[in-house]
Every structure is written in C-alpha cells, then in structure tokens.
Amino acid sequence: MKLYTYPGAPNPRRVHVFLAEKGVQVPTETVDIMKRSNRQPDFLAKNPFGGIPVLELDDGSHLAESVAICRYLEALHPEPALFGRTPAEIGAVDMWIRRLELQLMMQVGLVWVHGSPLTKSVVPKQLPEMAEMAKAGVARTFDTLDASLGARPFFAGSAYTMADVIALTTFDFAADFLGLRPAPDAKNLARWHAEVSARPSAAAGRAPQRSAG
Ligand SMILES: N[C@@H](CCC(=O)N[C@@H](CS)C(=O)NCC(=O)O)C(=O)O
C-alpha cells in the first residue's frame, strides 16, 4: 500500500490524522501539487480527477477521495471505530461529514481558488466576488457549527470520529492559508478545537511551516 500525499494539503491530511488515530503506518510518496505533478498523465492514470490523496492498494489499483480512503482503512482496521458503531452513531457521523464537506470545505475551497495568489494558475479566471461571497458563507457556517456543537465533546456525539478529522483539517487549512477563523465568541468551537488539536494525531500531515496567519 502507498499513499500519494502533499504536506499541509487538507484532504491528504485527513488520511494522515485518521491513520495516526488508528496507529497504522502506510508508506507515502509526495506529489508536488504546486508544480501540478498531479495533473500529468502518469498521475491522472491513478486518479482521472487529479486530486490527492490517492491510496495505491497492494494489487496495484487506486482509491481516491479522502473519505473513501478512510472508509477502506476503517474496514481493514476497525478499532478504534471512527465512522460510528451503532446505527444512530453511523448516521450522525455521516450527517456531519456531509455538512462539513458541503457547507464548510466547499466554501473554503472557493475562497482558496478565487482569493489566493497561490492558486492564480488553477482557474481560468479568479473571481474576487466569488471569494468574498464564499468568505461570508464560511463565517455563517462557523456560527452555525458553534451553535450546533453546543456542549457536546465532538461533532457526532461523545466519541471522536471522522467528522472531527474533517473539521480539524478544514479549520486549520482555513486559518493557516486564508486567515479564516471562527468569531472570537464561538466558545464551543474554541473548546473543541483546543481538545482535538491536543491529540497526538493532530500533528500528522501538517505543513512544516504555516503560510499565513
Ligand atoms: N474530494 C477530494 C478532494 C481532493 C483535492 O482537491 N485535493 C487537493 C489537495 S487538498 C488537490 O489535489 N489539489 C490540487 C489539484 O486539484 O490540482 C478528496 O476528498 O480527496
């Protein structure tokens, strides 16, 4: 097995944090997405959509999409369960994964692609209005997440799950690369972020240096 990855990139970091929570090690190979190596024919043969992470299986086939990779790893290494155990837990984890992907990560991605000088060459034309609109959406989502989290220890309930992995990696990317953070009065998110950041797994897949404050 081999994981194609890039230090600090949020989607690969999900898999690194997940593996660290499982206590499992997988060999890695860095694909330089800043040099667009992932858009060359040899990498597109592994993932036609070009994104990382990609997991190469022992039979030579490839699995893309960070959540799909983590589900595969969960099936191989069921403990500790990070996608829930009971039907209610499994449903709650999936609900939060989808909310975090669709309401948060997607809008953070729009700010990244349309608002950062680092991604100028990625889109045919950067649309600053799109970045501004998405930025406002991220702020609204942070507020909703803070209210929804309430006093619960983790997004999907009392156990740390894949939903927390996605939230942590998205929050850190938004803060480090785009300067987007929850409002100072979002106390529930602040408490949650401090707790999940203190887990040893939080260091996994993090960029050696932060690009922006
Ligand atoms: N939905 C995919 C997203 C993959 C993705 O967009 N990865 C980014 C890195 S965080 C990437 O490869 N960007 C460079 C590119 O798409 O060319 C996943 O969850 O794995």
Side-chain angles (χ1 to χ4, degrees):
M1 215 187 280
K2 178 162 70 176
L3 182 68
Y4 293 94
T5 183
Y6 187 79
N11 290 295
R13 185 171 171 231
R14 294 172 176 184
V15 181
H16 289 286
V17 173
F18 188 90
L19 285 167
E21 287 285 335
K22 295 279 183 188
V24 171
Q25 292 195 336
V26 170
T28 61
E29 182 174 324
T30 297
V31 179
D32 195 338
I33 52 174
M34 299 316 283
K35 291 192 177 145
R36 312 291 284 153
S37 304
N38 59 312
R39 298 284 163 183
Q40 302 310 309
D42 63 328
F43 194 80
L44 292 174
K46 300 175 183 25
N47 177 13
F49 288 95
I52 55 164
V54 168
L55 187 68
E56 189 165 275
L57 308 189
D58 292 339
D59 66 1
S61 62
H62 295 96
L63 203 52
E65 295 296 329
S66 53
V67 177
I69 291 170
C70 291
R71 282 196 187 277
Y72 171 81
L73 294 167
E74 175 101 344
L76 284 184
H77 305 281
E79 295 298 332
L82 294 176
F83 281 93
R85 289 179 195 277
T86 66
E89 286 168 4
I90 291 167
V93 174
D94 211 40
M95 174 178 77
W96 280 105
I97 288 174
R98 290 185 64 76
R99 284 175 168 168
L100 289 159
E101 291 266 46
L102 299 171
Q103 307 289 340
L104 185 64
M105 185 61 188
M106 201 175 270
Q107 302 202 82
V108 168
L110 286 173
V111 180
W112 170 238
V113 165
H114 287 286
S116 167
L118 294 175
T119 55
K120 243 190 167 116
S121 63
V122 169
V123 276
K125 183 173 159 44
Q126 282 192 320
L127 303 172
E129 301 82 5
M130 178 71 87
E132 284 311 308
M133 212 168 70
K135 221 180 250 186
V138 169
R140 282 195 302 275
T141 297
F142 278 146
D143 288 348
T144 307
L145 291 176
D146 185 65
S148 308
L149 185 62
R152 262 198 331 274
F154 301 107
F155 273 99
S158 57
Y160 180 96
T161 69
M162 183 67 192
D164 300 290
V165 174
I166 293 176
L168 171 71
T169 52
T170 308
F171 275 52
D172 288 348
F173 177 70
D176 292 353
F177 287 86
L178 301 166
L180 300 178
R181 295 181 173 82
D185 64 350
K187 299 282 185 256
N188 300 320
L189 288 182
R191 183 255 315 150
W192 164 87
H193 189 260
E195 278 176 24
V196 294
S197 299
R199 298 169 81 93
S201 64
R206 200 100 202 246
Q209 277 186 333
R210 298 189 187 188
S211 299

